[in-house]
Amino acid sequence: MQTTGQASQYGLDRIGLKNLGQVRWNLPMASLVQNAVERREGVLAKDGPLVVKTGIHTGRSAGDKFVVREPSVERHIWWDNNKPMTPAHFEALLNSFRSYAQGRDLYVQDLFGGADATHRLPVRVVTELAWHSLFIQHLLIEPTAGERQAFNPDFTIVDFPGFQADPALHGTASGTVIAVSFEKKLVLIGGTSYAGEMKKSVFTYLNFVLPAQNVMPMHCSANVGDKNDSAVFFGLSGTGKTTLSADPERTLLGDDEHGWSKDGIFNFEGGCYAKAIKLSEEAEPEIYATTKRFGTVMENVVLDPITRVPDFDDGSKTENTRIAYPLDFIPNASAIGRAPHPKNIVMLTCDA
C-alpha cells in the first residue's frame, strides 16, 4: 500500500489543499506512534502507550463551534442552540486553511463512521499531527483493503491545531474554531489540539443526516448479553457510560455513540475514549488494561518523569484526562458493532 504522495492522489485538491509537503496516507498504528515520537508530539509511557498534551484546551470548545448558515439547511437547524457562521466567513476560513497547509506535511485517514453498512459515513480526516491521525484511526472504523481502493468520502475533517482563526476575518469568537458546513460536507478545526473535536464532528454530521434515514442517533454506550439482550446507557459525559458498558459478562458494542434503525442498534465508532481520572485496575480492569498496551493514546495523563509510570489520580493538568484505544483492546468487544433492538434502557445522572 502506498503511504505517501501528493494532494491530487488523495482528493485533497477537491477542497483546495495544494502545494503540500509529504502526505502520509492511512499509516498503520506502529508507524503513527513512531512518527509522533520522532516529531516530539508525545512520549511513551512505561508499558507502551503514547502520552500527549493538548495544551490550553483540555476539553471541547463549545463556544467556538459554528454551523454555516446555508440555504439548504436554514430551516433544519435549531439556531437558538447553534452558533451560525456566514458562508462568506466560512469561505474566508477555508482559504486561510488552504494557505496554512501549503508546504506542510500532513496525515490522511480514510475511515467509516457507522458499523451498519447501510448507514455508514465514509470520512476523510486530514491532520497536521501524527497522534491525531492515530486517535481518529482508533475512534472510527477502518475499511478493509478492498474498501479503501474504492473509498470515496462523503465527509471531510481538516484539523490544524497550529492554525489560529482571526475573528475579524473569519467571524469567530477567538483563535479557536470548529466550523461545520453541511452543504460542503466539511469541518474545519483550528486552534485546539483536543482530539475529541474530531470524533464529535462526525457525531454532529450523523445527527443531521441520519434522522432523514429513519435512524435515531444516540449519545449512549451499549452492550449485549449472550441471549442477544442488548442494553443502552444514556448519560452526559462523566456519568458512567463507558464504565457500565465495559461489563466482562457482556459483549461491548461501544462506549459513546450509536444509531437505532429498523434493524437494531449499531456503533458509530471503532474505539473508545474513556475518562482516565481515578482509573484503577480494581474498579475498571478491562479499561485499565488498555493503559498497558502499545498504541493506546493517553491525553494529559501525568507521568513520573523517571519511570514514566502514569498517575491516574493526578488531575493537575485537567480532570478530563482521557485514553483512546481501538475496540479490540477490550477482550469482549463486538467484532461487528451491531446488535438487536435494546431490551433495556438505562438513564444515568450525575450527583449534584
Side-chain angles (χ1 to χ4, degrees):
M1 177 187 294
Q2 187 177 13
T3 58
T4 62
Q6 296 302 310
S8 59
Q9 292 177 262
Y10 311 115
L12 301 187
D13 53 346
R14 295 182 191 174
I15 55 174
L17 297 183
K18 301 178 180 180
N19 304 318
L20 306 175
Q22 190 176 41
V23 178
R24 297 177 174 92
W25 180 60
N26 290 327
L27 288 187
M29 180 174 68
S31 295
L32 288 169
V33 172
Q34 181 177 345
N35 273 233
V37 173
E38 289 176 348
R39 288 157 54 100
R40 298 185 179 181
E41 296 175 7
V43 299
L44 295 182
K46 176 181 178 293
D47 295 303
L50 179 68
V51 182
V52 298
K53 300 176 183 177
T54 63
I56 61 172
H57 294 290
T58 58
R60 287 187 290 123
S61 302
D64 294 304
K65 186 171 183 176
F66 297 84
V67 176
V68 183
R69 197 160 194 160
E70 297 155 319
S72 63
V73 303
E74 171 74 31
R75 66 187 185 90
H76 300 293
I77 303 294
W78 181 24
W79 295 108
D80 290 344
N81 202 44
N82 289 278
K83 298 180 71 171
M85 174 179 280
T86 67
H89 278 141
F90 185 82
E91 192 62 31
L93 183 66
L94 179 55
N95 284 333
S96 295
F97 266 65
R98 290 165 176 160
S99 296
Y100 179 87
Q102 292 196 23
R104 295 184 185 274
D105 295 344
L106 298 178
Y107 295 84
V108 180
Q109 290 286 335
D110 287 337
L111 304 161
F112 290 123
D116 186 331
T118 304
H119 303 291
R120 70 185 181 187
L121 176 70
V123 183
R124 176 161 289 156
V125 186
V126 184
T127 66
E128 66 173 320
L129 296 179
W131 81 261
H132 273 188
S133 195
L134 176 63
F135 172 93
I136 203 63
Q137 185 183 80
H138 288 346
L139 266 294
L140 294 182
I141 299 169
E142 288 196 77
T144 64
E147 289 170 336
R148 277 219 165 107
Q149 289 180 351
F151 194 89
N152 186 30
D154 283 341
F155 184 59
T156 301
I157 299 171
V158 182
D159 190 339
F160 294 161
F163 175 86
Q164 287 290 308
D166 179 348
L169 177 62
H170 304 125
T172 58
S174 69
T176 300
V177 62
I178 304 97
V180 184
S181 169
F182 289 114
E183 277 192 3
K184 293 182 181 295
K185 300 180 179 180
L186 177 64
V187 171
L188 303 176
I189 303 172
T192 173
S193 293
Y194 184 68
E197 298 288 7
M198 291 184 289
K199 79 177 224 86
K200 284 301 181 185
S201 293
V202 175
F203 190 49
T204 295
Y205 190 78
L206 290 173
N207 264 280
F208 182 74
V209 300
L210 287 184
Q213 302 175 27
N214 293 318
V215 177
M216 182 172 71
M218 303 180 293
H219 182 206
C220 69
S221 64
N223 61 26
V224 59
D226 56 10
K227 297 181 180 179
N228 271 344
D229 52 329
S230 58
V232 294
F233 303 85
F234 290 96
L236 297 175
S237 179
T239 53
K241 296 189 301 299
T242 299
T243 301
L244 287 175
S245 60
D247 184 336
E249 302 301 320
R250 296 171 64 84
T251 298
L252 173 67
L253 201 65
D255 82 325
D256 196 45
E257 300 170 2
H258 294 80
W260 191 344
S261 72
K262 64 180 179 62
D263 299 315
I265 58 175
F266 61 96
N267 194 359
F268 287 170
E269 300 184 321
C272 298
Y273 192 35
K275 283 201 169 189
I277 197 71
K278 308 295 184 185
L279 180 65
S280 71
E281 186 173 15
E282 295 73 26
E284 300 170 86
E286 292 79 19
I287 297 173
Y288 184 84
T290 70
T291 70
K292 296 181 177 294
R293 294 283 300 266
F294 176 83
T296 292
V297 178
M298 302 202 297
E299 282 184 342
N300 301 311
V301 171
V302 175
L303 297 181
D304 182 283
I306 305 300
T307 65
R308 295 197 179 181
V309 172
D311 183 353
F312 296 116
D313 293 326
D314 190 335
S316 58
K317 293 178 183 176
T318 176
E319 290 290 310
N320 192 37
T321 53
R322 293 270 183 171
I323 51 175
Y325 49 90
L327 271 170
D328 61 14
F329 278 19
I330 299 293
N332 59 324
S334 170
I336 62 172
R338 303 186 303 275
H341 298 287
K343 295 183 178 180
N344 298 287
I345 298 175
V346 180
M347 304 297 292
L348 306 173
T349 60
C350 285
D351 292 331

